């Protein structure tokens, strides 16, 4: 018997989040003036609204920065080699926004 350890390099997964919206056909077709009822499906909350950052991506960026000492410029090059263009300014901005959100959570508890 033997034990082996296999290394699998990092992978990026692109997810397209689609929000389903349905309109009540009977409400809008009966000739009245009231607006039709519209139902929207729920979608998962974003860690950083209006960005492509997910929890795992933001965590990885901060781990590389503060845990491993990798500057944002080096991370920018690493992501570029993985065919993902994230500027170091975006990474810095995301880090600040995550810190602010964490501070708000600590203050509210």
């Amino acid at each position: 018997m033997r034990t082996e350890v296999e290394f699998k390099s990092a992978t990026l997964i692109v997810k397209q989040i689609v929000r389903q919206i349905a309109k009540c056909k009977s409400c809008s077709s009966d000739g009245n003036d009231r607006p039709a009822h519209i139902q929207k499906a729920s979608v998962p909350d974003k860690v950083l609204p209006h960005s492509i950052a997910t929890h795992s991506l933001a965590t990885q960026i901060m781990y590389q920065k503060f845990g491993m000492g990798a500057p944002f410029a080096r991370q920018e090059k690493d992501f570029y080699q993985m065919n993902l263009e994230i500027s170091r300014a975006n990474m810095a901005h995301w880090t600040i926004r995550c810190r602010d959100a964490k501070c708000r959570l600590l203050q509210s508890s």
Side-chain angles (χ1 to χ4, degrees), residues 17-69:
I17 307 298
V18 178
R19 184 176 198 167
Q20 299 291 327
I21 299 175
K23 179 173 118 175
C24 178
K25 293 179 182 179
S26 63
C27 294
S28 61
S29 65
D30 54 356
N32 57 23
D33 291 337
R34 57 182 185 169
H37 178 72
I38 296 176
Q39 183 71 35
K40 296 179 181 180
S42 63
V43 292
D45 290 336
K46 291 188 59 91
V47 63
L48 297 169
H50 311 293
S51 74
I52 63 169
T54 60
H55 294 278
S56 61
L57 182 60
T59 302
Q60 178 64 17
I61 288 170
M62 288 186 280
Y63 170 73
Q64 287 293 321
K65 173 68 176 169
F66 301 111
M68 302 302 291

Side-chain angles (χ1 to χ4, degrees), residues 78-97:
D78 290 342
F79 283 121
Y80 184 78
Q81 290 176 348
M82 298 169 71
N83 295 321
L84 179 64
E85 292 185 36
I86 303 176
S87 70
R88 61 189 93 168
N90 274 345
M91 288 187 268
H93 187 66
W94 295 346
T95 302
I96 292 167
R97 286 173 59 193

